[in-house]
Amino acid sequence: MDRTAQFAARAAEYPAVYDPAPPTGSLHLRAVNVLEGNWTGASTVPSRSLYPHQWSWDSAFVAIGLRHVSPHRAQRELETLLDAQWGDGRIPHIVFNPSVPLDAYFPSPDFWRSSTAGRAAGAPRTVQTSGIVQPPVHALAAWLVHCADPELSRARGFLARVYPRLAAWHRYLLHRRDAGGGGLVSVVHPWEQGMDNAPSWDAPLSRITPAPARSFRRADLDHGAAEDRPTDLDYGRYVRLATDYRDGGYADGAGDFAVEDPAFNALLIASEHALARIARQLGAPGTARHARAERLTSALVDRLWDPAAGLFFCRDVRGGGPIRERGVSGLVPLLLPGLPREVAAALVRTLCGPHFGMGATTRLVPSYDLLGEAFDPHRYWRGPAWFNTSWLLERGLRAHGERARADALRAAVLEVADTSGFAEYVDPYTGEACGATGFSWTAALALDLLHDTNDLHRLLHDPHARLHGRPHDPLGRPHDQRHDPLDLLHDSDDTALKGGDRG
């Protein structure tokens, strides 16, 4: 039995005497049960009903949380995804489960036709995937998974196997997707950025002729209210973009939609720092990757930062200018260590100000400007709060010394994850559940925050801190390997941690 399943069953099997399991019904145990219920045997689906396949950045977030209860399964989560990587280096945003009926999800494998339409780009022949990508959280996830159990990672050769694939993934993005010529990566479809229906896409999408409504059937409306989902017009444009990309053999550079997004690029930068740590762990220099991350950070600030607005804006490469919509994507670069101090301070002010209301009017960080004309507290990425973006911002606040605000956001994420039944997303004001419940990344990131307590500083830096007679670290690392999970982004010394709508 897998360790995660063992944990879920443990409360019934053992008396609570020494090192007892969390009490029945605890948030920790319920989060584990969500991940166990969504496990397919090789990977974790986002939800059993609405999203019955493997999604790319979902699996990265799942691995980050899963490492606390089953590092082996967390490794397998990433390995399964990387097994579907294309020859050109791209990691597809969906890996399809062949046992799921074609009509259970759209666009289905017969729409993407990856093994034929993607042949020139090196699509795998033995597994069906989509042809677009999602944000590159994977190297960051791989490093954190390794740090959860370095001995297991070394025994399995985990980093040695994933490093060349992750390096190829970054190479694809940096070499094939610099549509604007300024060093940043462009997305070629709203589904790639992950925040599918954000108002930031409205202007560039308006140039796209939608596919005829009769040419596709929306399976998402079988599981969610139409008023909470993208409109038929927007969906028709999504389908047209994907169809054109497919019919062009998934070749980059020719499409009518290309947008530089701050969150996508910030996550690439974070993962470049992580890839430098992985390289160092394998005996190679990591300095070039750290330097690349610093250059990308400078390009991000130069091209996308708006000091008057106090956040980053997307840039419409085909339209030639910034897209002045305040979305949560513009706050996510707070995660990065190399931001100028004044930029980080301005992001915190914007996060806590009237446009996002953190700590004042909202329970979790909304996905879009509370004062924007397109704001809707329930419609997909046009206002609701999502747990992965709040997790990223909690990490960013903590990294830039905003401990009180980070603690408050952490507490809010855990409370709303609990009361919403691990919802896909929630009303930012009330915490009311929207979309699917029992959502995997919500459960996984709640687990990660549960293992990062308010006593983290004492546990990491007090050499006398002990739990059950052993030096304790919420990541399960030996005493001499304790660091905050994202210290890798804020410490250029590679010797730290030695050994140790989705489409």
Side-chain angles (χ1 to χ4, degrees):
M1 182 186 295
D2 182 271
R3 184 175 166 189
T4 314
Q6 289 176 334
F7 184 89
R10 188 174 166 193
E13 293 177 0
Y14 301 107
V17 180
Y18 299 107
D19 191 20
T24 301
S26 73
L27 178 61
H28 191 283
L29 185 57
R30 290 198 302 277
V32 171
N33 283 333
V34 168
L35 296 178
E36 179 65 15
N38 289 341
W39 175 249
T40 67
S43 63
T44 307
V45 298
S47 77
R48 284 289 181 179
S49 57
L50 188 52
Y51 307 114
H53 303 286
Q54 183 180 23
W55 261 259
S56 173
W57 74 327
D58 291 71
S59 279
F61 287 122
V62 165
I64 288 170
L66 197 56
R67 67 196 168 111
H68 297 296
V69 292
S70 179
H72 181 254
R73 187 181 287 191
Q75 292 177 26
R76 289 182 64 196
E77 185 79 36
L78 296 173
E79 290 163 351
T80 300
L81 179 67
L82 291 171
D83 283 344
Q85 186 173 23
W86 289 29
D88 63 3
R90 82 182 75 193
I91 298 175
H93 96 298
I94 302 175
V95 181
F96 289 107
N97 182 343
S99 68
V100 173
L102 289 178
D103 62 358
Y105 189 83
F106 178 85
S108 53
D110 57 343
F111 172 87
W112 294 103
R113 306 171 198 164
S114 61
S115 59
T116 54
R119 186 175 299 157
R125 296 184 179 183
T126 58
V127 62
Q128 294 295 313
T129 76
S130 65
I132 59 174
V133 303
Q134 276 190 324
V137 199
H138 312 89
L140 176 59
W143 176 249
L144 295 179
V145 167
H146 164 79
C147 290
D149 193 336
E151 290 78 11
L152 174 67
S153 176
R154 290 192 201 95
R156 298 188 69 247
F158 173 65
L159 291 183
R161 284 184 288 110
V162 301
Y163 177 80
R165 297 186 178 192
L166 294 170
W169 166 223
H170 287 204
R171 192 160 52 247
Y172 165 78
L173 292 173
L174 292 166
H175 293 177
R176 302 288 186 89
R177 291 299 192 89
D178 183 10
L184 297 182
V185 173
S186 292
V187 296
V188 300
H189 196 293
W191 290 338
E192 291 198 312
Q193 193 267 356
M195 304 177 192
D196 309 359
N197 195 39
S200 298
W201 314 130
D202 290 355
L205 276 177
S206 68
R207 301 191 297 266
I208 308 302
T209 302
R214 64 182 181 277
S215 66
F216 61 92
R217 176 188 173 276
R218 294 182 58 179
D220 63 318
L221 297 181
D222 295 341
H223 304 281
E227 60 269 22
D228 292 350
R229 305 294 298 176
T231 66
D232 287 342
L233 177 61
D234 285 336
Y235 216 92
R237 288 169 169 153
Y238 301 156
V239 172
R240 172 68 68 187
L241 277 175
T243 300
D244 290 349
Y245 193 42
R246 177 199 69 198
D247 293 349
Y250 297 110
D252 294 308
D256 294 328
F257 185 100
V259 176
E260 294 172 350
D261 174 76
F264 193 103
N265 282 279
L267 291 171
L268 175 61
I269 294 165
S271 280
E272 270 293 302
H273 281 297
L275 208 53
R277 289 299 181 98
I278 294 172
R280 183 77 175 185
Q281 189 69 207
L282 296 173
T287 52
R289 290 198 176 278
H290 280 308
R292 180 180 295 116
E294 291 170 1
R295 290 195 301 272
L296 287 169
T297 301
S298 295
L300 183 70
V301 174
D302 290 345
R303 292 180 66 81
L304 304 186
W305 174 245
D306 188 303
L311 85 168
F312 293 84
F313 285 133
C314 293
R315 176 178 288 275
D316 183 356
V317 173
R318 301 293 183 240
I323 302 170
R324 299 190 180 279
E325 296 284 0
R326 291 178 171 87
V328 70
S329 172
L331 299 172
V332 169
L334 185 62
L335 181 73
L336 300 175
L339 289 180
R341 183 173 299 178
E342 65 274 15
V343 172
L347 285 172
V348 173
R349 288 195 298 272
T350 301
L351 176 60
C352 300
H355 294 286
F356 293 92
M358 194 195 84
T361 58
T362 58
R363 300 188 69 185
L364 293 185
V365 182
S367 52
Y368 179 64
D369 182 4
L370 298 171
L371 305 180
E373 291 185 7
F375 174 78
D376 185 327
H378 287 180
R379 192 179 287 276
Y380 209 62
W381 289 110
R382 300 179 84 84
W386 292 70
F387 291 88
N388 63 331
T389 52
S390 286
W391 180 84
L392 291 167
L393 291 171
E394 191 273 350
R395 301 282 77 190
L397 287 167
R398 199 170 298 283
H400 287 281
E402 296 283 348
R403 292 183 179 274
R405 288 188 170 104
D407 287 345
L409 182 54
R410 171 187 174 274
V413 168
L414 292 174
E415 180 186 0
V416 177
D418 188 14
T419 57
S420 70
F422 302 101
E424 181 181 2
Y425 53 102
V426 298
D427 183 307
Y429 291 117
T430 67
E432 175 191 350
C434 302
T437 54
F439 201 73
S440 289
W441 79 27
T442 304
L445 297 177
L447 276 176
D448 191 62
L449 292 177
L450 283 168
H451 281 259
D452 183 20
T453 70
N454 291 335
D455 292 330
L456 181 62
H457 182 82
R458 180 182 63 83
L459 291 170
L460 299 185
H461 299 285
D462 179 0
H464 303 294
R466 290 179 176 270
L467 186 66
H468 300 301
R470 296 169 306 200
H472 176 67
D473 171 26
L475 304 187
R477 293 186 295 246
H479 177 79
D480 63 350
Q481 294 175 357
R482 300 179 194 169
H483 286 260
D484 186 272
L486 292 187
D487 270 355
L488 64 99
L489 302 184
H490 300 268
D491 177 5
S492 60
D493 176 10
D494 283 315
T495 63
L497 283 182
K498 269 186 185 175
D501 181 71
R502 305 175 165 264

